[in-house]
Amino acid sequence: FSIAAGKRLAGIEQQLEPPDPYEGDVYRADDLPTVPASLEEAVACFRASDTARAAFGDAVVDHYARFHEVEAQAFRAAVTDWERARYFERI
């Protein structure tokens, strides 16, 4: 998105206004937008992004989204060192 932001300056082109500054404890605020909490959620946001599609094209977005979906599937299928150490004796 950094490349796209420099190339397109989407916020300026679309005349987007930044939100007002937040006052208070952001760590306790539950009404603020958040970033994706997982790779799967990030991929879904990227795949659905009109800004990404306008900047990079459908083929690039679909390719990178699929690549990272496969990466997430491989990660979920792997047994980590922590799991081996924790559960080896218990199972």
Side-chain angles (χ1 to χ4, degrees):
F1 277 125
S2 296
I3 295 169
K7 181 180 176 186
R8 292 191 66 241
L9 299 170
I12 294 171
E13 287 178 359
Q14 297 172 25
Q15 298 181 344
L16 300 176
E17 291 294 325
D20 292 331
Y22 184 80
E23 294 183 22
D25 185 350
V26 296
Y27 296 103
R28 293 185 182 199
D30 58 0
D31 59 338
L32 295 176
T34 60
V35 297
S38 68
L39 179 57
E40 292 87 351
E41 190 179 342
V43 169
C45 290
F46 180 68
R47 186 182 288 281
S49 172
D50 292 334
T51 302
R53 290 186 179 279
F56 304 119
D58 290 337
V60 171
V61 170
D62 292 340
H63 172 76
Y64 276 100
R66 182 63 188 143
F67 172 82
H68 288 292
E69 287 169 346
V70 171
E71 285 293 299
Q73 290 170 355
F75 175 78
R76 282 193 312 275
V79 177
T80 66
D81 291 341
W82 181 87
E83 291 168 314
R84 284 188 192 108
R86 176 131 176 115
Y87 298 114
F88 182 75
E89 295 295 328
R90 295 179 186 191
I91 296 179

